[in-house]
Amino acid sequence: MLSPERLALPDYEYLAQRHVLTYMEDAVCQLLENKEDISQYGVARFFTEYFNSVCQGTHILFREFSFIQATPHNRASFLRAFWKCFRTVGKNGDLLTMREYHCLLQLLCPDFPLELTQKAARIVLMDDAMDCLMSFSDFLFAFQIQFYYSEFLESVAAIYQDLLAGKNPNTVIVPTSSSGQHRQRPPLGEASVLEGVEASLFSQGLENLCDRPKYSCPPPALVKEVLSNVQRLTFYGFLVALSKHHGINQALGALPDKGDLMHDPAMDEELERLLAQVPGLVNSAPANPEAGCLPFRTPPRVGSPWRPLHHARKVDAESDGSTEETDESET
């Protein structure tokens, strides 16, 4: 049975909306590149397996960055894959730097750009140094906003900078390589209470932006909700609010709610099944009797082939109160 959305759209519009041509072109390219191997089991089987992988979201694994960002479905699939592959980082309480999270991203996409990881880290760290530690959930939800809505945020940043300069927020914005998030924020003045821009003017500037079909935007109603709660805000304050908004996360649909981020029963069951097949890894008697009371820990993480991860960092119960670490409970 066809969905109401499918019935309401002409065929060509529906195919364009679902980026079917993008996947057909990619499938044909892969077919031509691997025609000798594919000829052994048939073209029909190849296309069946290809589009099954697209539906399951596994088609983006180990692909080039230009492909994983090509469609909204690809971006959502990459976010989901990153969460599923590395959620153990969050379950173990590990805190990693921006560079280390970038290494994890490169395990799934070897040419993933460092600049995008830096922008996501900036949402979490704000004015802190870029080598500070971040929890998995803090980085993941900030990365989701930065990666999925990257073009939208470039235009938002340009609008914000123009408002700081006193320009009309309804002026058409064309982001350039020197605009948007690439611009440095002006230094704070003595009247720090006036930092940022008026939320009402900022909202006016974003009204038309959310209606443009050329790239993905958060739901306009939810953007207005975020802006209606404050009188003034900074650009990164706006991004933090987006990354923590429950409704925006649900609308995007790639990640579970923060409370369920570390829970995936199906994945846990499969992992336990695989671990049980490794001789001597589980159910082995500890050499120290007191060690039997310790919780089971997963094996050490495998370092990135592009850049080895530093030693694992754990949340210290006797912390000296330093603000250089972001903890899961802070959000």
Side-chain angles (χ1 to χ4, degrees), residues 88-140:
T88 305
V89 173
K91 292 184 69 174
N92 289 349
D94 294 335
L95 301 176
L96 304 181
T97 65
M98 179 275 298
R99 292 277 181 178
E100 290 171 329
Y101 281 115
H102 185 66
C103 287
L104 297 182
L105 290 167
Q106 286 185 309
L107 289 175
L108 302 181
C109 174
D111 66 336
F112 197 91
L114 176 63
E115 181 185 13
L116 200 54
T117 312
Q118 291 173 329
K119 289 180 179 179
R122 179 58 63 199
I123 299 175
V124 180
L125 300 174
M126 300 291 283
D127 294 320
D128 292 334
M130 290 296 287
D131 59 350
C132 291
L133 303 176
M134 295 173 282
S135 69
F136 181 72
S137 63
D138 285 346
F139 176 80
L140 180 62

Side-chain angles (χ1 to χ4, degrees), residues 123-124 135-142 240 243-246 258-259 261-262 325-331:
I123 299 175
V124 180
S135 69
F136 181 72
S137 63
D138 285 346
F139 176 80
L140 180 62
F141 284 108
V240 170
S243 68
K244 295 182 177 181
H245 196 285
H246 172 75
K258 187 172 183 179
L261 196 63
M262 306 308 165
E325 298 181 357
T326 59
D327 189 75
E328 300 282 354
S329 61
E330 291 179 4
T331 55

Side-chain angles (χ1 to χ4, degrees), residues 11 28 50 67 84 103 121-122 125 148 157 159 173 203 228-229 237 284 288 291 294-295 312 318-319:
D11 292 343
V28 171
Y50 176 87
F67 180 73
K84 284 181 174 289
C103 287
R122 179 58 63 199
L125 300 174
Y148 194 87
I159 290 175
I173 302 298
S203 179
S228 66
N229 294 327
S284 58
N288 185 353
L294 297 177
E318 300 179 357
S319 173

Side-chain angles (χ1 to χ4, degrees), residues 37-84:
D37 296 331
I38 294 172
S39 62
Q40 298 178 6
Y41 55 86
V43 174
R45 180 181 172 184
F46 164 76
F47 277 105
T48 299
E49 292 182 353
Y50 176 87
F51 282 100
N52 280 340
S53 70
V54 171
C55 293
Q56 295 167 5
T58 58
H59 63 299
I60 46 78
L61 293 174
F62 319 117
R63 294 295 304 273
E64 61 280 5
F65 179 73
S66 60
F67 180 73
I68 68 168
Q69 71 160 353
T71 72
H73 175 66
N74 286 8
R75 298 187 187 199
S77 298
F78 186 79
L79 287 167
R80 195 175 298 112
F82 182 75
W83 161 60
K84 284 181 174 289

